[in-house]
């Protein structure tokens, strides 16, 4: 009798209780599917800035990425111009309606970007919400000297 | 014979979850890579243009271009048009003073909605902030120039487009 019981025990299958794990995976999967974005955006959010909050719903469009932090202007991640304290631009740095290093930076970025012939020049501006408007406008004016008149102001959706 | 009956009664019938788990383990890293935890959008804008072919100033009797002068303590609304007279345009002007609670942006949206009702082909706003205005304030004001909510918080709530074309300039 003892031998039979031992044989019976050894034939029992070891089954892992996967139901609770599956429940957890289902919740994670649903959450990730909601957050999923299928568009391929050639856009990297700069870590050193805090975007303004807005309810704008316009779709994203790629272009030259320009970041304006409290310390500097960066084009495609490369620092091209240092800002003064509080994100200010000194009057002497703003020569003839433009910041020369920003104009050059945008021209170089356009030269490196592979563009279709009919594609419009667009600069995508991610600027810190605490910056004074003057700084943003001076950078946009400089972009205009590089032949760019259309911009996309990046915002954090509400 | 007796033992096989006993064994059959004791065996649990379970669904084989291993293939489902395999699928989940594959899907989750893929979705994690593509997930956006920080939702960004854009506001399309441009600099003012004045050429022989194009102008930001409205040239249609049913449309006007709104000029929004933003100062730290005041917002001035005015309109411009290539065809309307000075008197008609002056009647559209308004001012909003900053209160201790900030600008009354609902009032701004309402004033713009009244202009849009009269000139329904209008779609352009030229924004002229002064140097010291913080960027976040400009964005908040732009949000209220884009659309107006009729009958908010009621079943009849409706969003009406106002001036979605934004031209950014600067008041010197």
């Amino acid at each position: 009798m003892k031998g039979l019981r031992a044989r019976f025990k050894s034939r029992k299958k070891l089954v892992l209780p996967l139901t609770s794990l599956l429940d957890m995976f289902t919740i994670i999967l649903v959450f990730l599917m909601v957050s999923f974005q299928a568009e391929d955006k050639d856009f990297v959010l700069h870590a050193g800035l805090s975007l303004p909050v807005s309810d704008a719903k316009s779709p994203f469009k790629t272009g030259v990425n320009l970041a304006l932090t409290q310390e500097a202007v960066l084009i495609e991640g490369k620092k091209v111009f240092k800002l003064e304290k509080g994100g200010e631009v000194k009057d002497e740095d703003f020569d003839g309606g433009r910041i020369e290093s920003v104009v050059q930076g945008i021209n170089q970025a356009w030269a490196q970007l592979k563009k279709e012939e009919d594609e419009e020049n667009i600069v995508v501006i991610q600027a810190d919400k605490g910056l004074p408007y003057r700084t943003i406008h001076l950078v946009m004016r400089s972009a205009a000297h590089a032949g760019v008149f259309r911009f996309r102001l990046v915002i954090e959706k509400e | 014979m007796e033992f096989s009956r006993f064994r059959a009664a004791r065996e649990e019938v379970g669904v084989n979850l291993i293939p489902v788990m395999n699928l989940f383990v594959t899907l989750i890293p893929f979705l994690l890579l593509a997930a956006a935890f920080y939702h960004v959008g854009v506001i399309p804008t441009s600099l003012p243009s004045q050429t022989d072919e194009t102008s930001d100033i409205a040239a249609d009797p049913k449309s006007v271009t709104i000029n929004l002068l933003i100062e730290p303590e005041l917002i001035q609304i005015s309109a411009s048009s290539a065809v309307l007279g000075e008197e008609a345009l002056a009647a559209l002007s308004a001012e909003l003073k900053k209160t201790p609670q900030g600008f009354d942006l609902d009032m701004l949206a309402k004033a713009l909605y009244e202009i849009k009702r009269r000139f329904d082909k209008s779609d352009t706003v030229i924004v002229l902030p002064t140097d010291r205005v913080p960027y976040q304030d400009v964005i908040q004001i732009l949000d209220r120039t884009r659309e107006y909510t009729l009958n908010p918080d009621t079943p009849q709530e409706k969003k009406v487009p106002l001036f979605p074309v934004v031209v950014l300039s600067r008041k010197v």
Side-chain angles (χ1 to χ4, degrees):
Chain A
M1 191 63 189
K2 199 176 177 182
L4 273 175
R5 194 177 294 150
R7 269 172 57 202
F8 176 69
K9 261 190 179 173
S10 71
R11 289 191 64 176
K12 258 178 110 179
K13 261 188 175 177
L14 182 68
V15 180
L16 278 172
L18 291 175
T19 315
S20 50
L21 194 63
L22 201 68
D23 289 347
M24 190 186 76
F25 271 16
T26 309
I27 294 166
I28 293 174
L29 196 72
V30 170
F31 171 73
L32 289 176
M33 282 179 87
V34 170
S35 320
F36 177 76
Q37 289 203 336
E39 287 172 75
D40 177 26
K41 290 170 183 171
D42 188 17
F43 170 76
V44 180
L45 186 66
H46 195 274
L49 57 84
S50 169
L51 289 177
V53 179
S54 167
D55 61 7
K57 296 174 189 78
S58 291
F60 203 90
K61 200 168 182 180
T62 52
V64 166
N65 288 313
L66 191 147
L68 272 153
T69 69
Q70 291 278 352
E71 285 88 34
V73 180
L74 301 100
I75 296 172
E76 296 293 347
K78 197 174 137 193
K79 188 172 165 181
V80 293
F81 183 72
K82 189 178 177 295
L83 295 173
E84 298 300 304
K85 198 180 171 190
E88 296 283 354
V89 180
K90 280 193 284 187
D91 285 341
E92 54 264 39
D93 289 335
F94 188 61
D95 179 36
R98 63 195 196 173
I99 304 168
E100 194 53 45
S101 56
V102 174
V103 179
Q104 284 175 9
I106 290 173
N107 281 330
Q108 281 172 12
W110 276 120
Q112 284 168 6
L113 263 182
K114 286 176 189 168
K115 273 196 346 143
E116 300 290 326
E117 268 182 29
D118 58 342
E119 204 177 334
E120 197 178 16
N121 290 3
I122 288 174
V123 168
V124 179
I125 297 178
Q126 36 177 316
D128 191 279
K129 63 181 173 188
L131 283 172
Y133 177 72
R134 178 176 180 263
T135 304
I136 290 151
H137 187 73
L138 295 184
V139 169
M140 286 167 77
R141 283 278 306 274
S142 305
H145 281 273
V148 182
F149 294 91
R150 303 218 169 263
F151 303 88
R152 297 284 182 273
L153 305 176
V154 182
I155 50 92
E156 179 191 344
K157 281 185 185 171
E158 268 181 353
Chain B
M1 190 63 184
E2 282 296 308
F3 285 121
S4 66
R5 268 173 60 199
F6 174 69
R7 197 164 57 236
R10 290 281 306 268
E11 259 181 13
E12 279 181 25
V13 180
V15 182
N16 187 7
L17 295 175
I18 305 292
V20 185
M21 291 293 290
N22 289 341
L23 183 74
F24 275 24
V25 169
T26 316
L27 272 175
I28 285 174
F30 167 72
L31 289 172
L32 263 174
L33 286 174
F37 299 103
Y38 193 79
H39 290 278
V40 291
V42 289
I43 299 175
T45 180
S46 64
L47 287 174
S49 65
Q50 180 74 53
T51 63
D52 291 341
E53 297 88 34
T54 60
S55 169
D56 295 317
I57 306 300
D60 183 320
K62 282 194 168 183
S63 85
V64 288
T65 298
I66 298 298
N67 304 303
L68 217 56
L69 176 68
I70 307 168
E71 291 183 32
E73 301 297 322
L74 183 78
I75 297 176
Q76 282 184 336
I77 306 167
S78 62
S80 49
S81 162
V83 287
L84 291 174
E86 269 182 36
E87 257 182 53
L89 293 173
L92 302 174
S93 301
E95 277 188 3
L96 268 174
K97 285 195 176 125
K98 197 173 194 176
T99 63
Q101 290 79 38
F103 287 116
D104 187 349
L105 296 180
D106 289 334
M107 191 76 91
L108 170 73
K110 198 172 178 191
L112 294 176
Y113 173 65
E114 292 303 327
I115 297 173
K116 179 78 178 186
R117 274 179 63 191
R118 288 179 60 188
F119 301 93
D120 58 350
K121 295 265 191 285
S122 311
D123 64 356
T124 305
V125 57
I126 300 176
V127 185
L128 302 119
T130 49
D131 286 349
R132 301 279 131 231
V133 177
Y135 180 47
Q136 173 70 71
D137 290 4
V138 178
I139 297 293
Q140 271 179 344
I141 292 167
L142 288 183
D143 282 351
R144 306 313 291 270
T145 64
R146 205 163 28 248
E147 60 184 16
Y148 181 68
T149 309
L150 283 171
N151 308 312
D153 305 322
T154 64
Q156 291 81 39
E157 186 177 303
K158 190 183 167 194
K159 293 207 184 279
V160 183
L162 292 176
F163 302 91
V165 180
V166 178
V167 178
L168 274 180
S169 189
R170 171 181 167 223
K171 197 220 169 190
V172 185

